[in-house]
Amino acid sequence: MDTHPLTAPPAADVAARATPGYLAARVAQLEAQIAQERAENARRLREVEPKLQEFRTTMQALHQKLKRGTEERDEAETRIEAHLDAIASLHGELAVAREEVAASQRRIQELEAVAAPREADAGTLAEQAARIAELETKLALSRDRVAQMRDALVAERRNAKSEPLTVEADPDDAPPPAAAAPAPRTVDEGFPEVPGLTSEGLAERSAMGTRFRARRAEDRRAVWVIVLADPLREADLRRIDAMMQSRHPNLATTLAVAGSDCGPYLVLERTLGDTLHEWIARDGLPPERTALSMALQIARGLRHAAFHGTLHGGLSPRSVRVAPDGHVQVEDAGLADLRPAPDEPLRDARFASPERLRTGVAPDARSDIYSFGAVLHFLLTGKAPFEGDAVAVERAQKERGTPDPRALRACVSREASGFVTTLMAIDADMRPGTWDQVLVDLERIVNVETDGTPDSLRGRVARFVALHPLVACAVAAAPLVAAAVWLHFAASALPPVR
């Protein structure tokens, strides 16, 4: 029977507990309890450790997700700010466009108000329009004669100089032999009888047919009218449709295609200005940066044509027009594929790619890229990369390889020369494959600034020597003259020898 805690245990129990055996048993009992509790704690610890490790892993994963979420939020905020800036810019452009539209509408209303009282006198307006058309035709003929006289005067002045500018002679500029000269055609001989088109000059023969200078009556726009020698095929119509879609500021646009009593004809935009060959013959070679900027306009136009599936096929300085304000346009894009005879000689083989000169090889965009490099070679040096007909050019391409513009003109920079040699690689696989790559490389060269490296310093010195030889000789001789003067005074200051 248990005793109450406040009640003192019997003396017999106290004596029993005081014995060594009781104490040892009690100690053993307590040690057993402690060992049992330790084992239980160790078991519980083993159970908790995996859960703790899993908790740590989960916390690390949550921390990483939180970090990624923060980065994504920052990127999203950056994109949102960029979009907001773009939207603000578009709002500004839209406001400007609306103001321009409003101004145009006001101008149209003013013109309609001015033109309204004159509608009653339609007969007089028709007579005035006919008179204006007649005067414009005479003016165009006068301009052609003035241009011919100017070219003849430039040629005479160039021949009279002691060191004339060496520009390639265009084979088509030379007059035909007297025995082979055809009878002159009248202005309207062979011109299609089409309402709205007025002829302006003598006919010109081309590989595709007969070409006329003309104007459209509706907007007085200068155009070329090409009466084709052969009927158009289905593939030709698809090409012409692609050409009509290729509208770009640096491309002469194909405006229409139709048929007449003279046969099918094309209406093409006629660019005002001289051909690249005529422009260089009159004004001389441009600075390198100007030449590269003009080449950039040519490349943009050809890239746009290639985007619509149109290859030029016959790019040369004669197919590039330079307006008086420096604007450049490429003519005849895609017309080479409309030639009636595939074996007909190229208009100018000096600028044709090796694969274009070989028969049975279908050219691609890389062929136009080669011709573009040849035109840039002409812009930088004033000379075609090769001379002669197709056979001579093909043989020179095999024997001499890719020409280097610096061999003809030392002031051409290494960057521009290397770019030209890359474009004119004889192996088509070594050229840039797309016009996008050409534009990226050309824009980098146009926008590059001289950084003072040894190579660019040598280029500047070479260009200075080529442009100012007398000044360069004087600068080179100045140290020698200074040394001679110093030796003279030094010798005068020495005591005489006795």
Side-chain angles (χ1 to χ4, degrees):
M1 181 176 182
D2 296 332
T3 61
H4 194 272
L6 299 178
T7 305
D13 292 341
V14 172
R17 290 177 182 177
T19 60
Y22 178 81
L23 294 175
R26 185 60 178 167
V27 170
Q29 183 182 0
L30 294 174
E31 289 179 349
Q33 290 179 357
I34 293 172
Q36 184 178 0
E37 290 179 358
R38 285 179 178 174
E40 183 66 19
N41 292 335
R43 183 183 62 79
R44 291 178 179 177
L45 184 60
R46 286 193 300 270
E47 291 178 354
V48 170
E49 283 182 351
K51 295 181 180 179
L52 182 60
Q53 184 64 30
E54 182 179 357
F55 177 74
R56 289 174 179 171
T57 304
T58 304
M59 289 298 295
Q60 291 177 357
L62 290 175
H63 181 70
Q64 292 177 357
K65 289 182 179 179
L66 180 61
K67 184 178 180 180
R68 287 196 299 269
T70 303
E71 294 175 353
E72 291 176 356
R73 183 194 63 189
D74 295 340
E75 293 178 359
E77 291 178 352
T78 303
R79 289 196 298 269
I80 290 172
E81 291 177 358
H83 289 322
L84 291 176
D85 294 339
I87 290 172
S89 176
L90 291 176
H91 277 302
E93 295 178 0
L94 181 60
V96 173
R98 286 176 177 172
E99 292 177 359
E100 293 178 353
V101 170
S104 300
Q105 290 178 349
R106 290 193 298 269
R107 180 60 178 167
I108 291 173
Q109 293 174 358
E110 293 175 359
L111 293 176
E112 288 178 349
V114 173
R118 301 181 182 179
E119 293 180 354
D121 197 5
T124 304
L125 291 177
E127 293 177 0
Q128 291 178 354
R131 179 59 178 170
I132 291 173
E134 182 181 358
L135 293 175
E136 287 182 345
T137 301
K138 294 181 179 179
L139 178 61
L141 295 175
S142 300
R143 286 176 177 171
D144 293 339
R145 287 194 294 269
V146 169
Q148 294 175 0
M149 296 172 63
R150 182 191 62 196
D151 294 340
L153 180 60
V154 169
E156 291 178 0
R157 290 179 177 176
R158 190 167 64 249
N159 294 331
K161 293 180 180 179
S162 58
E163 295 181 357
L165 175 65
T166 57
V167 179
E168 293 291 356
D170 200 322
D172 294 337
D173 291 341
R185 300 168 64 93
T186 61
V187 171
D188 295 328
E189 182 182 351
F191 190 79
E193 297 294 335
V194 179
L197 291 177
T198 304
S199 177
E200 282 192 343
L202 299 177
E204 299 178 6
R205 300 184 184 276
S206 66
M208 294 171 295
T210 309
R211 185 166 74 166
F212 297 87
R213 288 184 176 88
R215 282 190 182 270
R216 293 196 309 188
E218 57 183 16
D219 54 4
R220 309 306 303 162
R221 187 174 186 177
V223 296
W224 290 110
V225 177
I226 302 179
V227 180
L228 302 176
D230 286 0
L232 294 173
R233 300 163 295 179
E234 185 67 25
D236 297 333
L237 293 176
R238 288 195 297 269
R239 291 192 185 96
I240 294 173
D241 182 67
M243 291 158 53
M244 295 176 66
Q245 299 299 325
S246 303
R247 295 181 179 271
H248 191 272
N250 300 118
L251 280 179
T253 307
T254 301
L255 302 176
V257 56
S260 67
D261 54 350
C262 300
Y265 67 92
L266 294 175
V267 180
L268 289 82
E269 177 185 5
R270 175 155 57 96
T271 306
L272 300 179
D274 298 327
T275 64
L276 189 59
H277 184 277
E278 296 169 344
W279 184 76
I280 291 181
R282 185 185 72 246
D283 297 339
L285 291 176
E288 180 175 308
R289 184 171 293 275
T290 302
L292 293 174
S293 299
M294 296 172 68
L296 188 60
Q297 296 185 59
I298 298 173
R300 286 171 178 167
L302 293 175
R303 186 261 179 196
H304 185 79
F307 177 79
H308 290 278
T310 300
L311 298 177
H312 193 287
L315 184 65
S316 71
R318 284 183 58 87
S319 58
V320 177
R321 291 270 178 179
V322 183
D325 60 354
H327 183 71
V328 178
Q329 271 193 322
V330 180
E331 293 184 327
D332 301 341
L335 298 185
D337 291 334
L338 301 179
R339 292 183 303 167
D343 296 333
E344 184 178 352
L346 295 173
R347 186 175 186 181
D348 196 341
R350 299 174 299 170
F351 299 88
S353 64
E355 59 270 20
R356 189 73 175 178
L357 296 175
R358 292 194 298 267
T359 57
V361 178
D364 55 11
R366 294 174 298 179
S367 180
D368 281 352
I369 290 175
Y370 177 96
S371 299
F372 170 70
V375 171
L376 181 53
H377 183 285
F378 179 80
L379 261 172
L380 294 173
T381 65
K383 292 185 178 181
F386 301 102
E387 290 294 340
D389 56 6
V391 176
V393 171
E394 185 177 5
R395 182 172 60 251
Q397 288 173 345
K398 292 179 180 179
E399 295 176 355
R400 293 162 47 191
T402 304
D404 185 3
R406 288 173 62 86
L408 296 176
R409 198 162 179 241
C411 60
V412 177
S413 67
R414 295 183 183 275
E415 292 81 4
S417 177
F419 181 64
V420 171
T421 54
T422 301
L423 297 177
M424 295 186 62
I426 302 300
D427 185 2
D429 294 333
M430 301 300 294
R431 304 174 206 151
T434 62
W435 282 106
D436 291 334
Q437 184 178 353
V438 173
L439 282 173
V440 168
D441 296 340
L442 183 54
E443 288 173 351
R444 176 181 56 80
I445 297 175
V446 171
N447 296 327
V448 71
E449 296 292 340
T450 304
D451 55 3
T453 59
D455 183 55
S456 60
L457 180 60
R458 288 196 298 268
R460 291 202 302 270
V461 171
R463 287 191 288 273
F464 181 83
V465 171
L467 296 175
H468 309 283
L470 295 179
V471 177
C473 291
V475 171
L480 298 177
V481 174
V485 172
W486 182 83
L487 290 175
H488 172 74
F489 283 104
S492 301
L494 292 176
V497 179
R498 295 181 180 179

